Amino acid sequence: MILVDDAGGILPAINHSPWNGATLADFVMPFFLFIVGLSLGLAYKKASCRVLATKKATLRAVKLFFLGLLLQGGYFHGLNDLTYGVNLEYIRWMGILQRIAIAYLLAALCEIWLKTDDIVDSQLSLFNKYRFQWFAVIMLTAIYGSLLYGLYVPDWKFQIPTESLSRVYSVKCGVRGDIGPACNAVGMIDRTLLGSKHLYRRPVYGRTEQCSISSPDYGPLPQDAPSWCQAPFDPEGLLSSVMAIVTCLIGLHFGHIIIHFKNHKNRILLWVGTASGLVALGFILDLSGMHINKALYSVSYACVTAGAAGLLFAATYILVDVCGYRRPTLVLEWMGMHALMIYILAACNLLPIVLQGFYWKKPENNILRFVGI
């Protein structure tokens, strides 16, 4: 993610896809959610007290949510902007850490409460033990699909605040089941429940050919650009986070395989079989019209990315646990143990912002300017 933030504008192949499709950057968030779910399977395999475990999971999720609110809600304004503070009228409620917190909490509650005491000695018994969790996956996917394709999206308006006055723009919709940037149910739910002023103001569809003459990068608007090109849209919104929870629950299933199957061959076959099936299902859905889309967190996107995460995990397991090549992964292991801290310091620009606080005579003469940033 750090590489994407710093070099995505230079190398479009690793930048987020402007709308449909997926690039390397679009696999980062679901990979993280996948491994969060897998870790939960190990952490709660022997929860002695369900109530206490629930309290701890809830407290951890609340802390992570408010950390995300602090880092991505607008408190730190960014590089070369020597101000801070939040205008509560425009604070961004959702974000990356907030989505992880929600997915973590729901997956943790499923693992704590939605499993039976059945003994696992086969694939079928594994399914039976966690059948209520799979029911939750089906229900969440059904809710997402029914809302995305069933809700009617009316015409809507939004404002762009300026120093002098705010200009109001109108967007024509009046459709149901649209999955384009302007008239999808994901954006409508966020505008209705969170408010347009509290959404991400630099949406990824601003890099489409309709919205940028420098597409696939951000750039000036074309002369005939539609009004929605300037509208806010949150890539970590409410409805799209439903499928993020599903990704976390799929990772949880991979953790269950570690717990209940001790043989390398059995683990690898189950992982590869499940992951390959997810990837195949995702591409089938994409070809049938349910396109791979990170901004909407479509069902096909969830399947392909979760399946890819499972295949990568299986390959890493073979390399490290089966073949014993641990030394090449020591740096990655250290990064995994300190992932949140690295993300906060680097990807959220906290370290560069702190470095800006040290300057010579004038705030502009800071360390970052000295090294050319």
Side-chain angles (χ1 to χ4, degrees):
M1 196 69 256
I2 297 169
L3 176 64
V4 170
D5 288 343
D6 294 338
I10 302 173
L11 300 173
I14 64 171
N15 205 351
H16 289 294
S17 174
W19 195 245
N20 289 331
T23 64
L24 178 64
D26 297 317
F27 286 83
V28 176
M29 165 65 87
F31 275 28
F32 197 95
L33 291 170
F34 174 90
I35 207 67
V36 166
L38 191 151
S39 302
L40 283 171
L42 305 179
Y44 291 110
K45 63 180 179 181
K46 293 183 180 179
S48 56
C49 178
R50 291 182 174 182
V51 175
L52 181 59
T54 300
K55 289 181 179 179
K56 289 183 177 180
T58 303
L59 180 60
R60 186 173 297 161
V62 169
K63 289 179 179 179
L64 189 59
F65 188 94
F66 279 99
L67 181 60
L69 198 62
L70 174 66
L71 294 172
Q72 295 184 297
Y75 189 81
F76 297 103
H77 293 185
L79 295 176
N80 301 320
D81 187 348
L82 302 177
T83 59
Y84 64 92
V86 179
N87 183 349
L88 293 178
E89 187 178 4
Y90 299 102
I91 187 174
R92 183 187 174 197
W93 296 117
M94 296 297 289
I96 294 173
L97 295 182
Q98 294 94 310
R99 168 172 284 181
I100 295 173
I102 293 171
Y104 162 82
L105 178 60
L106 269 294
L109 293 178
C110 285
E111 179 63 8
I112 294 170
W113 295 99
L114 299 184
K115 61 181 178 183
T116 67
D117 296 327
D118 297 354
I119 297 175
V120 175
D121 54 11
S122 65
Q123 297 180 38
L124 181 59
S125 60
L126 177 68
F127 174 81
N128 286 332
K129 182 177 180 66
Y130 300 103
R131 58 186 179 273
F132 296 114
Q133 294 182 12
W134 285 112
F135 179 74
V137 168
I138 294 172
M139 287 298 299
L140 289 171
T141 305
I143 291 171
Y144 171 86
S146 61
L147 292 177
L148 179 65
Y149 293 102
L151 283 180
Y152 175 79
V153 181
D155 299 343
W156 54 283
K157 299 179 179 180
F158 67 95
Q159 291 183 336
I160 296 181
T162 61
E163 294 182 358
S164 55
L165 50 87
S166 297
R167 183 177 177 182
V168 179
Y169 294 84
S170 299
V171 180
K172 293 290 183 181
C173 287
V175 295
R176 192 187 309 273
D178 188 273
I179 54 174
C183 301
N184 60 78
V186 172
M188 185 195 71
I189 290 175
D190 289 338
R191 292 191 298 271
T192 302
L193 299 181
L194 300 177
S196 297
K197 295 181 179 180
H198 302 287
L199 304 182
Y200 187 55
R201 306 206 65 84
R202 203 182 184 206
V204 69
Y205 57 65
R207 294 170 36 236
T208 60
E209 293 182 357
Q210 294 170 284
C211 301
S212 172
I213 63 175
S214 303
S215 180
D217 201 359
Y218 290 105
L221 289 169
Q223 292 184 350
D224 58 346
S227 59
W228 52 261
C229 285
Q230 303 179 73
F233 180 88
D234 209 309
E236 283 81 39
L238 297 173
L239 182 58
S240 56
S241 293
V242 171
M243 291 307 299
I245 299 170
V246 171
T247 298
C248 210
L249 290 173
I250 293 173
L252 186 60
H253 169 67
F254 277 67
H256 294 157
I257 293 174
I258 295 178
I259 295 171
H260 298 291
F261 295 89
K262 305 304 180 183
N263 183 273
H264 289 320
K265 182 180 179 180
N266 290 338
R267 288 177 174 177
I268 294 168
L269 287 176
L270 288 172
W271 287 334
V272 172
T274 303
S276 300
L278 285 170
V279 172
L281 177 60
F283 281 117
I284 291 172
L285 293 174
D286 180 67
L287 293 174
S288 66
M290 300 175 66
H291 297 301
I292 296 172
N293 188 297
K294 189 263 183 188
L296 301 178
Y297 216 116
S298 62
V299 177
S300 56
Y301 170 77
C303 289
V304 169
T305 53
L311 291 174
L312 178 61
F313 179 79
T316 306
Y317 179 84
I318 293 172
L319 177 68
V320 178
D321 293 83
V322 178
C323 299
Y325 292 106
R326 185 181 179 186
R327 184 172 297 178
T329 64
L330 288 178
V331 174
L332 300 179
E333 182 178 334
W334 177 84
M335 292 179 68
M337 294 172 63
H338 303 87
L340 181 60
M341 183 59 65
I342 294 173
Y343 176 80
I344 291 172
L345 291 177
C348 291
N349 285 330
L350 188 58
L351 181 59
I353 290 173
V354 171
L355 292 178
Q356 279 185 326
F358 296 89
Y359 59 88
W360 177 255
K361 294 184 178 180
K362 296 181 180 180
E364 292 77 14
N365 299 331
N366 56 60
I367 298 175
L368 292 186
R369 291 287 180 89
F370 177 77
V371 298
I373 299 178

